[in-house]
Amino acid sequence: MHKISKLAVLTSGGDAPGMNPCIRSIVRTAIYNGLEVVGIRRGYQGLIEDDMFPMGTRSVSNILNLGGTILKTARCLPFRTDEGQEIAYQNLKKRGIDALVVIGGDGTFTGALRFSKSYPDVAVMGVPGTIDNDLYGSTYTLGFDTATNTVIEAIDKIRDTADAHDRLFFIEVMGRDSGAIALRAGISCGAEAILLPEKETAIDDLIENLKSGQSKKKSSSIVIVAEGDKHGGAYDIAKLVEKQVKNYDIKVTILGHLQRGGSPSAFDRVLGSRLGFAAVNALIAGKTQMMVGLEANYIKITSLEEALTQHEFKLEEDLMKMAEILSI
Ligand code: ATP
């Protein structure tokens, strides 16, 4: 086990609320333990371009409440090449950095694991930061709770106008490969239907369901569509439905990037703080090529290898069934 002395941190992939509380926790936990800390701007791009700066306890003051990431993030093609990884390594070495915490999603972890296998003298720890909540090894990922609350707030407002006009709204939420936000938001807002990428949507069943709602005198209907639905986005589904469902004024709302922004919820602030704290302590304990997560409210450490190979999209059938029953 080699003792670490200088740690770098970066955020990568899509930004997620909760990344800032996590950065704060990493910086302060590391300094408390006598480590030097370096912040890397714009994820792997900054690592390759040597865009780094020393961080102290005051450099993370008053960021708990900020959405986004003070380190900024990027998608970086050169890090996918051997040459890019070599440059990244040389940049870390010349600064004497021997540990790296990466906050991001599965792409970020894939890059980190590959890097760590080529250059094992830099210890690597992953923190799951993505609003999609689609990583193995953590029940919740950073940003998912805040994003879901943002979606709920927007849908509540749409429900008011839908109700006033007897409207049918198709609302598209983020989740190209994951229906996690759509499902939680659907349950929370009493959506009449929830369409997820994990399940092929039976358009005929959806139409039947909406007609049945009309016959039961529902004054409005909300259908939540995750952006990865196989039939396309909310506009495509609305077109398929509108020919057959009469008497409803059909509207479409795409919530888009507002779902990523905003002050992190209490849950994401605590989660970010806990995961950052655990990541630094795991590195100090000599662990590498791992990911810190939260399972059953306890910190769990999973190897990046396992997190990436076990990664699969699971449909939460029990929650889907419950949502259907509760919206009759
Ligand atoms: P999100 O879930 O929000 O999309 P992510 O971490 O999955 O987050 P990606 O864009 O897939 O986001 O990955 C982030 C970065 O990780 C990429 O821009 C790239 O620099 C690096 N990366 C991804 N896959 C690889 C790979 N196979 N080899 C090296 N680096 C990779």
Side-chain angles (χ1 to χ4, degrees), residues 12-14 44 74-77 79-80 85 104-111 114 129-130 132 260:
S12 162
Y44 294 130
R75 307 211 191 254
C76 171
L77 279 179
F79 197 66
R80 292 173 184 265
Q85 295 236 333
D106 58 342
T108 300
F109 293 170
T110 305
R114 180 174 158 191
T130 165
D132 290 339
R260 283 197 186 278

Side-chain angles (χ1 to χ4, degrees), residues 27-67:
V27 170
R28 292 190 173 171
T29 306
I31 290 171
Y32 173 83
N33 285 287
L35 304 179
E36 281 183 72
V37 188
V38 169
I40 302 172
R41 294 189 189 89
R42 295 174 295 116
Y44 294 130
Q45 195 67 38
L47 184 51
I48 288 175
E49 293 173 6
D50 198 24
D51 189 2
M52 312 182 195
F53 61 102
M55 297 186 84
T57 48
R58 295 282 75 74
S59 61
V60 288
S61 296
N62 298 325
I63 64 166
L64 272 171
N65 57 326
L66 300 181

Side-chain angles (χ1 to χ4, degrees), residues 281-293:
N281 284 319
L283 284 166
I284 290 170
K287 296 193 191 316
T288 183
Q289 297 185 5
M290 303 271 174
M291 178 198 104
V292 289

Side-chain angles (χ1 to χ4, degrees), residues 149-163:
N149 277 300
T150 303
V151 168
I152 290 168
E153 205 182 317
I155 296 178
D156 284 347
K157 289 177 178 156
I158 291 169
R159 177 73 86 174
D160 289 346
T161 176
D163 218 38

